[in-house]
Amino acid sequence: MIYRSGSDYLKAPRKRVMLFGMSGLGKTYLSTLLRDHGDWFHYSVDYRIGTRYMGEYIADNFKREAMKVPLLRELLMTDSVYIASNITFDNLAPLSTYLGKPGDPAKGGVPFAEYMKRQDQHRAAEVAATLDTARFMERAEEIYGYPNFICDTSGSICEVVEAEDPADPVMKQLSETLLMVWIKGSDAHTAELVRRFDRAPKPMYYQPHFLHAAWEEYRATHSVTEETCDPDHFVRWTYARALAHRQPRYAAMARWGVTVTAEDVGKVSTTQDFDALMARAIDRA
C-alpha cells in the first residue's frame, strides 16, 4: 500500500484514494462529500466511460433511432439539429440505455449478439477509463490545484481485472498510485440492492463467460427464445446471480488494499470522518 500506517495517511500532504464495491453502497456518496466539502478532485470512472470512450457509440445510437422519424431524418441530413447525450455524475442513463438488454424487441430488447458487442465495447472503455486515473491525478493538481484525489470506480471493475494475478496491469497501476478501498456490504445490503434493482432494472456489464452461461440457463429454464425473452425479467434474474459472482472477485481485489463496511460509510458526514475511517482501515490491514 502507498500508506504504511494510518498516521502516515493522515499526515500525507496529498491523499490518493480509490473506492470500489457494488453500486449503491456509498462510493459516489463519499466522493461527492469530499468534492463538495474538501480539497478533493472527484474522478468518476463511469462518467469518463460515458463521455470519453462510449460517447460516440451512445450518440450514434440516438441518431439511428432519430433517422426512423421522417422529420428528424430530414433535420439530421441537413445538419439542422445536433444530437448528443447529457451524461452527468448523477445521471448515467444514456450509457445504461445504450448497453441495452437482450430479448424481445417489442419490449425494448436487442439481439444477443448486439448486446454482447456493446458489452465488449464497455469492457475496453472501462479498462481505459480506469487506467486514465493516474493521468487525472496529475491533471487535478497541475491544472486545478487539488492536492487530494478520490477515484469513484464503476461497480463492474471486478469484472475487468484479474486480482489473483500479481501482474494484472490495472491492479498494479491502481495499487501503486492510490489506496484501494473496498466498501463491503452485508447480506442485508445485498438483499436491498436486489429489491432496488427489481423496482428499476438497468443494463450492466458482466464478464462474457458469465453472461453466456446465464443466457443459456435462463432460456432453458424459462422455455423462451431470443425473440420471446422478456428483457427486464432476464436482467433481474441475472443481477441476483451477479452479486454472488462478484463477491469473491471484490474480496480478491481487497487484498491489494483495505476494507471498510457499508455501515461505517453510512456514519461518515464530514471529510474528517472520512480520513479517520481510512486511517483505521489502514491500521487494521
Side-chain angles (χ1 to χ4, degrees), residues 159 204 206 210 237-247:
E159 306 275 7
M204 296 175 64
Y206 303 111
F210 172 82
W237 182 88
T238 303
Y239 181 74
R241 286 154 180 76
L243 295 186
H245 161 75
R246 287 182 173 183
Q247 199 70 6

Side-chain angles (χ1 to χ4, degrees), residues 63-238:
K63 292 171 186 175
R64 289 189 194 95
E65 294 302 312
M67 288 290 282
K68 298 174 184 178
V69 180
L71 174 62
L72 293 179
R73 176 186 173 86
E74 180 181 346
L75 292 172
L76 280 172
M77 294 299 290
T78 57
D79 291 327
S80 300
V81 295
Y82 175 75
I83 295 178
S85 68
N86 186 30
I87 287 179
T88 67
F89 282 15
D90 300 316
N91 180 17
L92 299 168
L95 176 58
S96 291
T97 300
Y98 174 72
L99 284 177
K101 311 166 189 177
D104 185 352
K107 297 180 178 179
V110 299
F112 188 72
E114 175 65 21
Y115 174 65
M116 292 305 296
K117 183 178 80 171
R118 296 181 187 186
Q119 287 275 309
D120 189 57
Q121 291 168 348
H122 189 281
R123 175 184 175 82
E126 184 164 353
V127 169
T130 304
L131 289 173
D132 281 347
T133 301
R135 184 161 64 87
F136 268 79
M137 280 193 291
E138 295 179 0
R139 294 182 67 195
E141 185 166 11
E142 291 177 4
I143 299 176
Y144 305 109
Y146 285 99
N148 304 315
F149 186 94
I150 184 76
C151 176
D152 177 5
T153 63
S154 172
S156 55
I157 185 173
C158 67
E159 306 275 7
V160 302
V161 300
E162 293 299 333
E164 301 284 2
D165 180 4
D168 182 90
V170 178
M171 293 297 294
K172 276 179 62 66
Q173 187 201 89
L174 293 173
S175 65
E176 291 170 359
T177 53
L178 304 105
L179 173 67
M180 299 179 62
V181 181
W182 179 27
I183 301 179
K184 183 179 182 181
S186 64
D187 290 342
H189 286 113
T190 300
E192 175 55 29
L193 291 176
V194 171
R195 284 193 294 271
R196 190 185 307 171
F197 190 89
D198 192 59
R199 290 194 298 270
K202 65 178 182 179
M204 296 175 64
Y205 173 78
Y206 303 111
Q207 288 188 322
H209 73 271
F210 172 82
L211 269 180
H212 278 289
W215 182 240
E216 293 300 323
E217 182 182 351
Y218 180 85
R219 287 188 300 158
T221 56
H222 292 78
S223 300
V224 296
T225 65
E226 178 171 317
E227 292 74 20
T228 60
C229 170
D230 183 317
D232 280 346
H233 191 269
F234 171 72
V235 296
R236 286 189 179 103
W237 182 88
T238 303

Side-chain angles (χ1 to χ4, degrees), residues 49-71:
I49 291 170
T51 53
R52 171 65 176 83
Y53 293 106
M54 298 286 285
E56 193 169 286
Y57 294 130
I58 293 167
D60 283 352
N61 195 48
F62 291 162
K63 292 171 186 175
R64 289 189 194 95
E65 294 302 312
M67 288 290 282
K68 298 174 184 178
V69 180
L71 174 62

Side-chain angles (χ1 to χ4, degrees), residues 25-34 152 265-270:
L25 293 184
K27 298 190 303 292
T28 301
Y29 164 72
L30 290 178
S31 299
T32 302
L33 172 72
L34 296 174
D152 177 5
V265 167
K267 299 173 185 176
V268 173
S269 59
T270 67

